[in-house]
Amino acid sequence: MPSDCVTFQNSGYFSKIIIDYLNREKVLQPLYNRFPNLESFKQQIEEKQSNFNNETRHILVETLKSQYHKLKYAENSLANIELLKENNTFTITTGHQLNLFTGPLYFLYKIISTIKLCQQLKKQYPEFNFVPIYWMATEDHDFEEINHFHLENKVIHWNQEGNGPVGRRTTEGLDQVYEAFAAHIGIGKNAEQLKNWFKEAYLNHDNLSDATRYLAHQLFNSYGLVILDADNHSLKELFIPHLKHELIKKDAIIDTQKSFSILKDYTIQVNPREINLFYISDSLRERITFEENQYRVNNTSITFSENEIIEELKNYPEKFSPNVILRPLYQEVILPNLSYIGGGGELAYWLELKEVFKTHQITFPILLLRNSVLLATQKQEQKRLKMNVTWSELFLKKEILINQKTLELSKLTFNFGTQRVFLERQFEALESLAYKTDKSFVGAVKAQKTKQLNGLNHLEKRLLKAEKKSHQDTLMRLALLQSELFPNGSLQERTLNFSEFYKEYGSDMIEKLLLKLEPLDHKFDILVL
């Protein structure tokens, strides 16, 4: 197992705002409630317990039971759903898009982080219950983001026309995708399991929401994961007061922008709109706007007066969908939730939202950066050890890594720092002399200084290039190892699909991840399979 630690901060793959959040920089502290550590959760429990009622719990439980009625072998999940009736039961939530066959690897890491944190909290606070929730992003509409996944340098792609929330999309055309996947994944016990999961999920379910629920359930049912589709009439009824507030008051934009003065030195992740809601149906998801004293559904002829849209909301709350600004609020209204676990981009926009929660008098959850993992085979680990390269070094940019290793391998010293200092001093003396004798020579002296220093830099680069050539085989093997672990110079977890590893390691892969990950440690995990 690797001995060197790669923190999120020194991995080189996280934004300034996330690094500053992890470092608990004072500038960001007004934008969140509590920092994620075990001790913070006791106060979070007390605060959430005081403003989450039993009526909401009852509606949540009944909705989840309805969504689970077709799933087999769901005893652990159903037991957790029953626990949600009790006021000493709380949730830890992660959310994710309905990516085809889970999409990138970090789908697993989000959910495993959530399950593991629930287990740790139960040990710390045995008098309470903690239920892991996977919030399916069924109301999203960006089909192009979710209609493919990468498998061994091949893109498995699903073509389908249509609009509206992705969770309501039919699974039409996925029989052809299955054939392409089955042909590529090959044979073997684990390959057959993957093919069966794909076939059952996408060919035996009518819509993408049900298909995704089935697949996530197969992967995590033994850990009691509860999968929620919030595109639901009963759950939206609970959110009506907040939806009405947004339609009439339109103050989420003001609340969100209050954070922008604090975030002035950071990249703003999302920008609010005057009304942060969509109007949806099976084939429609368009923004609600307010123009000339009328509510309009963008790119349609649908309009409402204020009274009409409030009546529409009362009768059909499921037609109103929160955008990225209000979706977090919806989640925290309907769940007895303590913490949201997400990626860097997600946490960046959550940090804009505390004032929105304050206006709606809803407890702001603890924000936790999900676990990140680099998976390596035993063969890759042996290569790493043989080349005497640390995991921290493998996280470096390719050019920096190669230059650094060239210097280590070389028996020569060709850092001309000493010579550079000598030249600087010599030309300082010449400049001083020129000022005292003939100032017209100062420019010539400076030009010569630049020429000499540039020549020194050129010689240094030529020597480095020559040394790279003499160690070409070793450096090529190093570059190849890094490219295997960081495909296309990016994080493995953002590209590869879990099936690439599951085919080889089966359920042991998930078990090892569950043992390895420590959600509150804030480090980049390396797992040698």
Side-chain angles (χ1 to χ4, degrees), residues 15-18 20 27-28 31 259-268:
S15 65
K16 183 178 186 298
I17 191 171
I18 295 304
D20 286 355
V27 66
L28 293 178
L31 302 183
S259 67
F260 288 1
S261 61
I262 296 174
L263 294 169
K264 63 182 184 299
D265 295 327
Y266 302 96
T267 300
I268 298 300

Side-chain angles (χ1 to χ4, degrees), residues 56-280:
T56 300
R57 287 182 179 275
H58 174 75
I59 293 170
L60 175 64
V61 168
E62 292 306 309
T63 301
L64 285 167
K65 283 183 178 178
S66 174
Q67 293 182 358
Y68 265 77
H69 80 281
K70 291 182 180 179
L71 288 177
K72 297 178 180 178
Y73 312 113
E75 292 81 6
N76 293 331
S77 298
L78 289 171
N80 271 343
I81 291 171
E82 287 295 331
L83 282 177
L84 287 169
K85 292 178 180 177
E86 309 298 328
N87 63 10
N88 67 334
T89 300
F90 299 91
T91 62
I92 303 296
T93 302
T94 193
H96 196 66
Q97 295 171 296
L98 306 190
N99 293 75
L100 184 61
F101 212 52
T102 76
L105 269 166
Y106 66 79
F107 170 85
L108 267 65
Y109 305 156
K110 279 184 167 185
I111 292 175
I112 293 171
S113 299
T114 306
I115 293 168
K116 186 66 174 283
L117 181 58
C118 285
Q119 293 175 351
Q120 293 175 333
L121 288 172
K122 184 63 178 175
K123 289 181 181 178
Q124 182 76 8
Y125 303 108
E127 67 273 29
F128 298 102
N129 303 308
F130 304 93
V131 174
I133 299 285
Y134 162 39
W135 178 292
M136 295 194 295
T138 55
E139 295 178 48
D140 281 3
H141 70 290
D142 197 338
F143 184 64
E144 297 303 315
E145 284 190 4
I146 67 168
N147 67 349
H148 62 279
F149 64 95
H150 295 262
L151 176 60
E152 297 171 339
N153 299 316
K154 180 179 176 64
V155 180
I156 308 293
H157 199 273
W158 172 28
N159 293 311
Q160 189 191 77
E161 297 296 325
N163 296 300
V166 293
R168 301 186 191 184
R169 276 182 177 262
T170 72
T171 51
E172 182 182 353
L174 280 166
D175 52 341
Q176 299 171 26
V177 179
Y178 168 72
E179 295 299 329
F181 172 67
H184 191 79
I185 200 68
I187 59 174
K189 179 182 176 182
N190 295 330
E192 291 305 314
Q193 177 68 83
L194 290 165
K195 285 186 276 190
N196 287 337
W197 279 342
F198 194 107
K199 190 173 184 178
E200 287 295 322
Y202 296 108
L203 306 192
N204 292 335
H205 291 88
D206 295 330
N207 59 61
L208 193 54
S209 178
D210 289 345
T212 305
R213 182 189 296 108
Y214 172 85
L215 180 57
H217 179 68
Q218 296 307 308
L219 287 167
F220 297 107
N221 69 82
S222 61
Y223 305 105
L225 179 70
V226 173
I227 303 157
L228 174 62
D229 180 0
D231 184 8
N232 175 274
H233 176 90
S234 297
L235 296 178
K236 287 286 179 68
E237 278 190 319
L238 296 171
F239 199 49
I240 283 177
H242 307 277
L243 292 167
K244 182 178 178 181
H245 182 104
E246 176 67 5
L247 287 167
I248 303 302
K249 300 287 187 181
K250 308 177 185 65
D251 55 12
I253 184 171
I254 299 169
D255 290 338
T256 307
Q257 288 174 341
K258 288 177 183 177
S259 67
F260 288 1
S261 61
I262 296 174
L263 294 169
K264 63 182 184 299
D265 295 327
Y266 302 96
T267 300
I268 298 300
Q269 192 70 16
V270 294
N271 285 290
R273 298 186 180 275
E274 182 183 18
I275 296 176
N276 293 282
L277 299 173
F278 292 95
Y279 189 79
I280 62 174

Side-chain angles (χ1 to χ4, degrees), residues 413-427 447-465:
T413 300
F414 49 90
N415 183 329
F416 292 162
T418 303
Q419 291 82 357
R420 199 172 280 109
V421 171
F422 177 78
L423 275 176
E424 293 273 3
R425 288 175 180 171
Q426 293 300 309
F427 278 102
Q448 189 64 30
K449 174 185 173 182
T450 300
K451 181 179 179 180
Q452 294 292 326
L453 289 173
N454 286 340
L456 208 57
N457 291 337
H458 180 67
L459 287 173
E460 193 174 76
K461 289 178 181 178
R462 285 190 64 181
L463 280 172
L464 182 62
K465 185 177 181 181

